[in-house]
Amino acid sequence: MPSLNRQPSIRLQSEIQELSSGANPSQGPDAAPPSQKVGRPRLGELLKQELRQEKIEQAEKAEQDRQQRRAALEQLVHSALPDGGQAMKRLKERAVRKHPKTAAQIWHSVQTGMPKTMKDQRRSAFETLVRADLRALASTGQIAPRAAVDQLTEALGEGIFGQGILKRDRALLLEILGDLSLEGLYRRWNLAMTDDTKPAFTDADLLQVPKPFGAGKSTHVYEVKLKETDGAVLNALFKPIPREDWSYAGWATGIPRYDPQTVMRNLATVDYARKLGFHVIPDTRVALIDVDKKPFDPSLGLLMELAPGEPAERTPASVLARADVRAEVTKLQLLDHLTGEGDRHGFNYFIHIDADDRPTVMGIDNDQCFGEMLTDPDGARYADDSQHRLLEGVGLPPVVDTDMERAIEAMTEDDIHSMLGNKLNTAEIAAALQRYRGLKAHIVQLREQNWVIDPKDWETPQVQALMTPQNSYLARDLQRVAGA
């Protein structure tokens, strides 16, 4: 798009000066009066001419770039697949059998029969040929396998590749390439491609081979080291998306067992924490990393900043008893009441005391949240009955500070719709709104009871006495640590 604020050319600047001053350098003593001048272009027309010329130059440049890109692509394809590759050899042979032109081809068609639709084993065998061609393209061009998919798809569209084959076979080839593309991968996982869910990291950013770190309830976890765009090194955990969620917390709170949309639930939790200003959730982004040595079918998953410190149940009692730790854990608890997190046990949040003696609390594995059946912010508390057995929540906190109160009050229902609208379904958003209203009502009650305290008062014995294993993560886990 041409800019209307660009600097006019030197010629145009000269014309503007002449028109502005009314002077005419060529005007002599015998020149006609100004009223007799004809054909003098006006300033607006000069600007239009300049813009038209700029559009023409831009179009010519774009076409030149396209031609250069096409030539480079053609050279790459012909270098990597000098005879069209294995897939094209197969498809051209099928085209000859369908439309034989020579006696030998006719005889061959009679002997072998007409080409059959490629499905099941035939399709699987053909996909193997396509992947072999893609590996050759990636190796020759020194590009990532998924980039090779895009290049071959573009070559097919440009007519560089795929000539002389049957129409239905061309459609099949496009379908296979589409399945191997990034968009195809997202379709297979039923994951919407948004600005939030596009891969922030790929194999190209890896600084070392992913190492198995452990296993969660539904998937394995890998330790990875990656290079950020600014060159910084990021140590993180990578968790591939699980296809199913068989957790009790997921079942009890209304998370679908199949297609649990784990990515969206984690990203929604991050959005909530940022909106509240509670720094209790690690940076979480989507990544595309090959952990199973399947270059055309890498794992799509969540990349989480490595939480410092130790799990709460392995943290010394002296640390759990600190007032500043009590405040930070209460922030995490408030966030979980809003998101409906049902699995916040003592190994799902970490506590760290840095060199400046400041605490950091990080809640990890934010998978079992935003279920549509959990409408009460107090509903994920543990109870030994058929409805709540094995849920890892606690009751609403008996005290909050004024900073927490302001953060909750500052969040609006419009904010919730904005954060969740492209991540969760209607019923899940409705449940989130009910939890939000319930938590706000609880804080109003705390205000009436004078239990909205100043941030410096977390160390008072009265506050500590209010917190029990039934209404506080910290008191619950302090009891477990003391018991151990």
Side-chain angles (χ1 to χ4, degrees):
M1 176 70 70
S3 172
L4 296 178
N5 297 319
R6 66 184 183 83
Q7 186 69 23
S9 65
I10 296 175
R11 179 183 64 80
L12 183 56
Q13 291 184 55
S14 174
E15 295 282 356
I16 292 173
Q17 284 185 340
E18 292 177 18
L19 289 171
S20 300
S21 64
N24 185 347
S26 63
Q27 188 174 10
D30 299 325
S35 59
Q36 296 178 5
K37 291 181 181 179
V38 294
R40 181 75 172 185
R42 302 179 66 86
L43 178 58
E45 183 58 33
L46 288 172
L47 285 171
K48 289 180 181 179
Q49 291 176 8
E50 194 80 6
L51 290 175
R52 281 195 296 269
Q53 181 61 32
E54 183 173 323
K55 287 181 178 179
I56 292 171
E57 292 172 357
Q58 288 177 343
E60 291 174 347
K61 179 65 165 59
E63 177 60 20
Q64 183 180 11
D65 291 344
R66 192 192 74 80
Q67 292 291 348
Q68 290 177 348
R69 186 172 64 252
R70 189 185 190 283
L73 179 59
E74 186 172 11
Q75 182 178 2
L76 171 61
V77 171
H78 290 165
S79 297
L81 311 171
D83 298 320
Q86 299 181 48
M88 285 304 300
K89 180 180 178 181
R90 179 81 174 91
L91 296 183
K92 287 181 177 179
E93 186 272 336
R94 285 167 57 83
V96 167
R97 287 165 55 196
K98 178 73 173 178
H99 302 292
K101 296 180 180 179
T102 67
Q105 291 172 352
I106 293 172
W107 176 249
H108 180 65
S109 299
V110 170
Q111 293 294 312
T112 58
M114 299 299 285
K116 298 178 181 179
T117 300
M118 284 199 284
K119 59 182 181 180
D120 302 329
Q121 290 184 349
R122 287 189 181 88
R123 175 177 175 132
S124 179
F126 179 66
E127 286 183 5
T128 300
L129 298 180
V130 174
R131 289 171 185 251
D133 288 344
L134 288 169
R135 283 193 293 272
L137 196 66
S139 176
T140 300
Q142 296 185 333
I143 55 179
R146 195 158 300 278
V149 174
D150 296 335
Q151 294 279 55
L152 199 60
T153 303
E154 184 179 351
L156 199 59
E158 288 282 347
I160 297 170
F161 184 76
Q163 301 300 311
I165 62 177
L166 299 177
K167 185 176 180 181
R168 67 182 181 183
D169 286 349
R170 179 185 177 86
L172 174 64
L173 181 56
L174 280 171
E175 181 182 326
I176 291 172
L177 290 172
D179 288 343
L180 293 173
S181 69
L182 183 62
E183 292 78 7
L185 182 63
Y186 273 62
R187 283 195 301 271
R188 290 201 299 277
W189 284 98
N190 192 31
L191 179 62
M193 186 177 288
T194 67
D195 289 341
D196 289 337
T197 64
K198 288 179 181 177
F201 295 95
T202 67
D203 288 328
D205 304 306
L206 285 173
L207 295 176
Q208 64 182 27
V209 176
K211 299 178 181 178
F213 183 80
K217 291 182 178 178
S218 55
T219 186
H220 287 82
V221 181
Y222 299 85
E223 185 176 0
V224 294
K225 182 177 289 188
L226 301 131
K227 181 176 64 177
E228 294 265 23
T229 53
D230 61 359
V233 175
L234 172 66
N235 293 304
L237 295 179
F238 176 69
K239 183 166 69 173
I241 302 173
R243 291 191 178 276
E244 301 173 1
D245 181 357
W246 288 80
S247 69
Y248 183 89
W251 174 82
T253 60
I255 296 172
R257 176 162 292 175
Y258 305 102
D259 190 24
Q261 292 291 308
T262 303
V263 167
M264 293 305 192
R265 298 181 196 281
N266 276 268
L267 295 180
T269 300
V270 171
D271 286 347
Y272 263 50
R274 288 174 178 166
K275 182 63 182 177
L276 293 167
F278 293 172
H279 304 294
V280 292
I281 300 294
D283 184 26
T284 304
R285 287 172 278 181
V286 176
L288 194 63
I289 297 177
D290 180 15
V291 295
D292 296 321
K293 301 187 185 308
K294 297 179 180 178
F296 296 104
D297 193 20
S299 294
L300 188 62
L302 288 164
L303 193 78
M304 295 159 288
E305 179 186 8
L306 201 59
E310 293 290 336
E313 287 198 30
R314 289 181 180 167
T315 299
S318 58
V319 173
L320 296 178
R322 289 175 49 147
D324 50 4
V325 172
R326 191 176 304 130
E328 289 302 303
V329 174
T330 302
K331 291 178 184 177
L332 176 62
Q333 187 177 329
L334 286 170
L335 174 66
D336 286 349
H337 288 306
L338 285 171
T339 65
E341 174 61 57
D343 193 35
R344 188 68 71 201
H345 51 76
F347 285 94
N348 259 1
Y349 71 99
F350 282 58
I351 299 174
H352 174 65
I353 306 300
D354 68 17
D356 295 324
D357 199 39
R358 292 177 300 193
T360 298
V361 171
M362 287 286 167
I364 65 169
D365 288 345
N366 302 291
D367 300 346
Q368 276 79 48
C369 56
F370 289 104
E372 64 182 49
M373 290 169 53
L374 188 61
T375 58
D376 183 354
D378 201 25
R381 68 163 67 201
Y382 170 83
D384 192 13
D385 59 50
S386 60
Q387 187 64 28
H388 298 89
R389 178 171 47 88
L390 300 181
L391 285 175
E392 296 285 358
V394 295
L396 292 167
V399 57
V400 299
D401 65 33
T402 52
D403 289 343
M404 299 172 192
E405 178 190 40
R406 279 192 293 270
I408 300 296
E409 288 292 330
M411 181 184 283
T412 67
E413 295 195 6
D414 286 343
D415 291 331
I416 292 174
H417 279 289
S418 177
M419 289 185 288
L420 305 184
N422 65 345
K423 295 181 177 68
L424 305 179
N425 64 39
T426 303
E428 290 166 340
I429 294 173
L433 289 169
Q434 291 188 62
R435 291 192 300 270
Y436 163 76
R437 294 163 189 157
L439 182 59
K440 287 188 69 174
H442 174 68
I443 292 177
V444 169
Q445 290 180 351
L446 293 181
R447 168 62 67 183
E448 293 172 350
Q449 298 165 1
N450 294 321
W451 285 119
V452 177
I453 63 173
D454 189 278
K456 69 177 184 296
D457 292 336
W458 282 100
E459 61 186 6
T460 62
Q462 295 91 334
V463 169
Q464 186 172 355
L466 285 172
M467 306 182 82
T468 70
Q470 289 71 44
N471 62 26
S472 164
Y473 288 158
L474 201 66
R476 176 198 68 187
D477 297 323
L478 182 57
Q479 184 183 66
R480 293 175 180 176
V481 168

